[in-house]
Amino acid sequence: MSMDRTRPAGRRDQGGPRSVPPQRSRRQQPHRPQRPHQWFAERLLAVLSGQRPVHWMLGHTIGEAYDQLAELAPSAPLGSTRGSRPVLRHCRGAQPATGVVEAFASIAAGDRVRAMAFRLEQGPDQRWRCAAVELGGERLTAGTPGPR
């Protein structure tokens, strides 16, 4: 048995441990936190595709937005198409007034691409809440599910 404690027993090479260069990511930018509209787009997609329950949005909606989501979520208007899980492709937002963000997102599921628009309003507690949601040009209202 070897008494050399710098390398494992049976190792014969004379080199010590080599430094391994860290793996580089494509972008050498620091991690940026998600903007509110990107965060909400992911959450709305999860609820409207049936991946998460609607109560996941409780406290993140105001006005009739939660009631609309509660009636629409069971029909999963952004649900899977031919076994493809929907994913968020793009999400952009504009701030037409202080404390308001109007955003749009494109959702892809298989060979289908759907559009989603929503409005966020910032409350006095500085938290963003969803106030309205639209899919593919049709306003999501109770009793009228979006197109499939």
Side-chain angles (χ1 to χ4, degrees), residues 71-72 141-145:
E71 288 202 30
L72 290 166
T141 57
T144 57

Side-chain angles (χ1 to χ4, degrees), residues 48 72 77-78 107 114-117 133-140 146-147:
L48 293 173
L72 290 166
L78 292 178
I107 313 295
R114 301 281 306 273
M116 176 174 64
V133 180
E134 291 185 27
L135 283 180
E138 293 186 25
R139 181 151 182 93
L140 295 182

Side-chain angles (χ1 to χ4, degrees), residues 6 8 15-17 24 43-44 46-47 61 70 81 96 98 102 110 120 122-123 131 134 141-142 148:
T6 60
R24 294 183 185 202
R43 289 181 85 88
L44 288 169
V47 170
T61 55
T81 318
T98 303
E102 292 180 348
L120 303 177
Q122 193 173 31
E134 291 185 27
T141 57
R148 282 202 168 236

Side-chain angles (χ1 to χ4, degrees), residues 29-40:
Q29 299 174 353
H31 176 69
R32 290 177 32 200
Q34 280 188 331
R35 293 185 171 155
H37 60 276
Q38 294 166 326
W39 186 83
F40 269 92

